């Protein structure tokens, strides 16, 4: 029995528990080059959430994994021919998060970790919007930013979307849904502005222009072993934080 997974629990069990930390995963439903499933972001963030919550829970943390929000901000994917990205706007995510925060607060949960697996979901401004309106401690983990220091040890050429990193995770954790032989090289198209290409100025990139088949980054060097090595680091780091967060008492100066 996975006591730390809300969707698998009964009311009989749940009502006898007190939870310190809830983890809310955010994903997306969108194309990933030609070789990965539309649910890639959800599958990845769930794998990480389940493993990290399990490790923390088994160590004594009162941590509960909530169901994944399967729709993300993909407003820049809507012109991809046949793309079928199911997009919500940032304000829709804000409305959803506001309601869930209120629900959790009423249930006496004091700490909420937003575990994000999709680059288009910029959740930090949402936290700012709610900061002075809730007593819940909100924090954000974009998993793809969490272990970039170890990427040079594991990956040949990390990219951004359906790349070597994501494809390796897919080969490790949902291989039956990944078809590497269909992938293209994930080459990115530069804009006409040097300042944008160098990152001095940023835009919301129209995905049908920046990429041939929605991938960004060459997935050809991906292996299941690389995916497992990355997951090990991610789980270790996130589980450690969840354990510490669960044990911490919320007082006036929290989290300082
Ligand atoms: Zn992805």
């Amino acid at each position: 029995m996975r006591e730390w997974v809300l969707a698998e629990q009964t009311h009989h069990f749940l009502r006898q528990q007190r939870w310190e930390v809830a983890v809310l995963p955010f994903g997306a439903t969108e194309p990933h080059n030609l070789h990965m499933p539309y649910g890639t972001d959800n599958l990845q963030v769930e794998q990480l959430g389940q493993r990290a919550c399990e490790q923390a829970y088994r160590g004594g943390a009162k941590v509960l994994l909530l169901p994944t929000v399967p729709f993300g901000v993909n407003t820049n994917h809507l012109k991809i021919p046949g793309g079928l990205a199911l997009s919500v706007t940032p304000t829709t995510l804000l409305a959803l998060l506001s309601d869930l925060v209120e629900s959790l607060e009423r249930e006496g949960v004091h700490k909420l970790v937003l575990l994000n697996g999709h680059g288009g979901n910029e959740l930090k401004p949402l936290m700012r919007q709610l900061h002075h309106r809730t007593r819940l401690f909100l924090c954000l983990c974009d998993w793809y930013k969490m272990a970039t220091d170890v990427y040079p040890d594991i990956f040949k050429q990390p990219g951004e979307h359906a790349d070597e990193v994501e494809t390796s995770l897919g080969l490790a954790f949902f291989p039956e849904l990944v078809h590497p032989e269909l992938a293209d090289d994930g080459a990115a198209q530069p804009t006409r502005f040097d300042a944008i290409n160098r990152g001095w100025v940023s835009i919301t990139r129209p995905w049908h222009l920046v990429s041939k088949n929605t991938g960004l980054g060459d997935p050809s060097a991906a292996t299941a072993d690389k995916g497992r090595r990355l997951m090990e680091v991610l789980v270790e780091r996130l589980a450690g934080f969840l354990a510490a967060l669960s044990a911490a008492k919320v007082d006036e100066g929290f989290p300082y």
Side-chain angles (χ1 to χ4, degrees), residues 30 32 40-41 44 161 166:
E30 58 174 0
H32 276 77
T40 291
D41 288 2
Q44 287 174 160
H161 186 69
E166 286 203 303

Side-chain angles (χ1 to χ4, degrees), residues 37-58:
Y38 270 59
T40 291
D41 288 2
N42 303 328
L43 294 164
Q44 287 174 160
V45 82
E46 270 166 18
Q47 288 287 337
L48 171 58
Q50 286 165 4
R51 283 175 163 75
C53 288
E54 174 173 7
Q55 188 165 313
Y57 185 90
R58 291 196 189 283

Side-chain angles (χ1 to χ4, degrees), residues 85-113:
L86 296 180
S87 182
V88 297
T89 52
T91 46
T92 302
L93 284 189
L94 173 63
L96 180 71
L97 181 63
S98 307
D99 290 349
L100 294 180
V101 160
E102 195 185 328
S103 306
L104 290 167
E105 201 171 333
R106 284 173 187 276
E107 291 300 321
V109 176
H110 302 300
K111 304 150 188 164
L112 177 63
V113 179

Side-chain angles (χ1 to χ4, degrees), residues 142-172:
D142 293 310
W143 75 252
Y144 45 86
K145 293 179 183 165
M146 217 187 162
T148 49
D149 57 312
V150 301
Y151 282 18
D153 300 333
I154 301 178
F155 300 106
K156 199 171 127 201
Q157 206 186 355
E160 210 184 315
H161 186 69
D163 63 332
E164 185 185 343
V165 177
E166 286 203 303
T167 304
S168 295
L169 287 170
L171 290 171

Side-chain angles (χ1 to χ4, degrees), residues 23-28 42 66-73 86-105 112 114-116 121-123 126-127 129-130 134 136 138:
V23 177
L24 177 59
F26 285 82
N42 303 328
L66 308 182
T68 302
V69 178
F71 306 119
V73 178
L86 296 180
S87 182
V88 297
T89 52
T91 46
T92 302
L93 284 189
L94 173 63
L96 180 71
L97 181 63
S98 307
D99 290 349
L100 294 180
V101 160
E102 195 185 328
S103 306
L104 290 167
E105 201 171 333
L112 177 63
L114 311 180
L115 179 58
N116 181 37
N121 296 339
E122 285 163 304
L123 303 181
L126 278 48
M127 288 168 49
Q129 181 85 20
L130 296 172
T134 178
L136 204 77
L138 282 165

